[in-house]
Amino acid sequence: MSQVAGITEETDDVSEEAPMRDRSHIEKTLMLSEDKPSDDYSAVLQRLRKIYHASIKPLEQSYKYNELRQHEITDGEITSKPMVLFLGPWSVGKSTMINYLLGLENTRYQLYTGAEPTTSEFTVLMHGPKLKTIEGIVMAADSARSFSPLEKFGQNFLEKLIGIEVPHKLLERVTFVDTPGIIENRKQQERGYPFNDVCQWFIDRADLIFVVFDPTKLDVGLELEMLFRQLKGRESQIRIILNKADNLATQMLMRVYGALFWSLAPLINVTEPPRVYVSSFWPQDYKPDTHWELFLKEEISLLEDLNQVIENRLENKIAFIRQHAIRVRIHALLVDRYLQTYREKMTFFSDGELVFKDIVEDPDKFYIFKTILAKTNVSKFDLPNREAYKDFFGINPISNFKLLSQQCSYMGGCFLEKIERAITQELPSLLGSLGLGKNPGASNCDKTGCGETPKNRYKKH
């Protein structure tokens, strides 16, 4: 189990008197020794929260977007720190790596580690004034935190969720999430909660994803294959780590490196090969007669990646909200088009249920998606799966929705106009105000689906 306890680290082939590694490169790269106070981003985050609630959430709620993608944004998520997620097979060193990065070895804060599968919970490490353990049921009940939506996965999962507050400078700027190791011979149902759905929730919100392997666990089974399927579209956040590299001689390390690429090649569908960091992330010094200089450089490169995510916290948060707004807008346009087509095909003698069933079963026959592509500047690559709308309208009757042209008020304006203004003006302006030196508002509308001049194409003039 993952818990705070004074348990010794993994000691495979290492004696208790093994020399400890110098940590100065961690302090320097992550700027942990600097005394400057943490940056105050409250004003920008408050502005971002206001844009979301005023311009995006009304359309999101009106067209029940959360029931399509199961992704509800809370205030806690908007103001949360960057999240770093650790994934991978069991006992590859995920918990040990967290202990090492935070310098928690041989302290009462450290995570339990061992050669056997030890982490059975999702463990969230956060900053706090003193050491404190928080039960999952408490984390889910606290709306101020970003974890309240996890309650939907049931009480069995909340018993496997634990939060640990640690007074550490790095955790003032980032949150670490340790996950149960993947065990290929255990069925998901035996976990007692929807493991893949929970992983997807964390993947969708992670700013950086470390997928950790070691030389003894390179096989790809069904659960690991499912995990990489869930990671599709998040390739830019993924960092693959070959841990415990100093356990191998040079020739064997090259073979293991090639075997890892061979195993992962069918799972990562990108033109460029993924970046694999080869090192040994634990506190003991590198073993003699190994390429320790290479391992140290690899470790520093990984730390620089982590620091970059921390430094770009606000930019990533604004970009995330803008991407969410684009998806909400596309969803609203599609529901509106389904509703228009339904009303056009309905006659006095028609059976409404049969008419709409025909539309949902074969939307291409009625040019639902093609009409959106032709009239609204939406990229075909941003369109949701057609099959998803069968389930969506199965629980949300079309009669529950209004046309976009009817979603306007004299004082509040039109929902569509407001979300387009947020996409094309307000969020890019907020991003530009961070001192980037350029206006990201001039973005690729054929990719994002935003119009150059926000206007309600459905409003009757």
Side-chain angles (χ1 to χ4, degrees):
M1 292 176 60
S2 178
Q3 57 187 10
V4 179
I7 308 295
T8 57
E9 293 289 326
E10 296 173 43
T11 57
D12 297 344
D13 304 324
V14 179
S15 67
E16 292 183 3
E17 290 78 20
M20 304 298 280
R21 191 182 307 176
D22 179 43
R23 293 180 49 85
S24 60
H25 62 287
I26 299 179
E27 306 283 330
K28 180 180 178 181
T29 308
L30 297 179
M31 296 182 288
L32 300 180
S33 57
E34 297 184 9
D35 293 330
K36 69 173 185 177
S38 300
D39 295 324
D40 184 9
Y41 298 131
S42 57
V44 176
L45 291 173
Q46 186 67 21
R47 174 65 180 149
L48 181 61
R49 180 178 170 275
K50 184 177 179 182
I51 291 173
Y52 171 71
H53 281 280
S55 303
I56 301 170
K57 195 167 186 177
L59 197 65
E60 180 181 337
Q61 291 181 326
S62 180
Y63 288 93
K64 301 184 184 299
Y65 176 76
N66 180 48
E67 295 186 23
L68 178 74
R69 287 187 58 94
Q70 295 292 310
H71 193 162
E72 181 181 359
I73 293 180
T74 63
D75 287 349
E77 187 171 349
I78 292 175
T79 58
S80 65
K81 301 181 181 76
M83 181 190 294
V84 178
L85 182 64
F86 291 77
L87 299 169
W90 62 275
S91 198
V92 293
K94 299 187 295 296
S95 301
T96 302
M97 183 174 176
I98 293 175
N99 285 336
Y100 172 59
L101 292 176
L102 295 176
L104 303 181
E105 314 85 16
N106 302 319
T107 71
R108 61 196 182 102
Y109 304 132
Q110 73 173 7
L111 299 179
Y112 182 88
T113 62
E116 75 284 359
T118 54
T119 303
S120 62
E121 295 114 348
F122 283 80
T123 307
V124 181
L125 284 99
M126 307 166 284
H127 182 265
K130 62 180 181 179
L131 176 66
K132 182 180 178 182
T133 301
I134 306 171
E135 297 297 327
I137 192 169
V138 177
M139 293 174 64
D142 187 355
S143 58
R145 299 182 186 273
S146 59
F147 304 101
S148 55
L150 287 170
E151 198 163 16
K152 67 184 178 184
F153 295 118
Q155 296 303 306
N156 283 344
F157 166 69
L158 294 182
E159 292 177 3
K160 294 293 184 181
L161 175 68
I162 186 170
I164 301 175
E165 291 187 348
V166 181
H168 192 281
K169 193 172 181 63
L170 179 58
L171 294 179
E172 292 179 3
R173 306 162 67 205
V174 70
T175 296
F176 286 158
V177 179
D178 192 16
T179 62
I182 294 170
I183 304 177
E184 296 295 351
N185 62 358
R186 177 185 295 173
K187 295 180 181 178
Q188 177 183 337
Q189 288 79 4
E190 294 179 10
R191 295 183 186 269
Y193 61 89
F195 177 74
N196 289 330
D197 292 342
V198 173
C199 283
Q200 189 66 63
W201 189 92
F202 281 102
I203 288 168
D204 288 342
R205 289 156 178 78
D207 296 86
L208 197 58
I209 302 169
F210 291 150
V211 185
V212 188
F213 295 89
D214 79 3
T216 65
K217 299 181 182 68
L218 303 179
D219 294 338
V220 175
L222 292 176
E223 198 165 77
L224 191 60
E225 187 175 340
M226 172 62 74
L227 178 65
F228 272 91
R229 204 174 297 143
Q230 293 177 288
L231 290 169
K232 284 191 184 299
R234 303 299 304 273
E235 286 81 8
S236 62
Q237 278 91 28
I238 298 173
R239 303 293 184 271
I240 295 172
I241 297 170
L242 180 56
N243 199 15
K244 308 180 185 179
D246 63 348
N247 283 337
L248 301 175
T250 303
Q251 186 177 15
M252 185 59 68
L253 179 60
M254 292 176 65
R255 290 176 180 173
V256 167
Y257 187 83
L260 180 61
F261 260 99
W262 177 265
S263 299
L264 298 182
L267 304 180
I268 303 180
N269 188 24
V270 290
T271 54
E272 295 182 3
R275 178 72 164 90
V276 178
Y277 295 88
V278 182
S279 190
S280 184
F281 293 89
W282 68 340
Q284 280 81 13
D285 207 352
Y286 297 110
K287 293 186 178 179
D289 301 323
T290 59
H291 294 280
W292 66 269
E293 291 180 330
L294 169 65
F295 299 153
L296 181 59
K297 288 179 180 178
E298 291 281 277
E299 185 177 319
I300 291 174
S301 294
L302 186 70
L303 294 173
E304 287 172 347
D305 268 358
L306 174 58
N307 191 61
Q308 194 67 35
V309 165
I310 296 171
E311 292 295 316
N312 292 341
R313 170 193 176 187
L314 285 184
E315 291 89 334
N316 293 339
K317 191 76 71 176
I318 295 170
F320 168 74
I321 296 296
R322 186 171 181 274
Q323 182 185 52
H324 177 78
I326 290 166
R327 289 172 175 165
V328 170
R329 174 182 176 271
I330 292 172
H331 169 68
L333 291 170
L334 281 168
V335 173
D336 180 81
R337 188 61 206 166
Y338 272 103
L339 182 56
Q340 284 189 53
T341 305
Y342 170 69
R343 292 186 176 182
E344 289 169 2
K345 298 302 176 185
M346 277 294 291
T347 65
F348 183 76
F349 299 102
S350 299
D351 183 330
E353 189 174 331
L354 291 177
V355 169
F356 191 67
K357 183 179 179 182
D358 190 28
I359 297 171
V360 171
E361 289 292 332
D362 190 6
D364 290 338
K365 185 170 105 174
F366 300 93
Y367 302 101
I368 300 287
F369 286 78
K370 288 184 179 178
T371 302
I372 297 299
L373 291 175
K375 292 187 175 181
T376 58
N377 242 3
V378 172
S379 168
K380 66 179 181 179
F381 301 107
D382 289 333
L383 289 176
N385 189 343
R386 289 160 170 75
E387 296 297 317
Y389 281 92
K390 292 182 183 179
D391 296 332
F392 177 78
F393 287 119
I395 58 176
N396 296 291
I398 190 66
S399 56
N400 288 358
F401 299 101
K402 295 180 180 179
L403 292 171
L404 278 169
S405 58
Q406 298 173 329
Q407 302 276 20
C408 299
S409 66
Y410 180 76
M411 296 294 293
C414 297
F415 286 177
L416 184 64
E417 283 183 350
K418 285 160 60 171
I419 199 168
E420 288 186 338
R421 192 181 306 116
I423 293 169
T424 60
Q425 296 180 20
E426 294 174 351
L427 291 172
S429 175
L430 186 61
L431 195 58
S433 70
L434 299 178
L436 300 181
K438 59 180 180 180
N439 184 5
S443 55
N444 232 340
C445 282
D446 59 350
K447 289 185 179 179
T448 61
C450 60
E452 288 186 6
T453 53
K455 63 180 181 178
N456 187 355
R457 301 174 180 83
Y458 301 87
K459 186 176 179 182
K460 297 178 181 178
H461 297 282

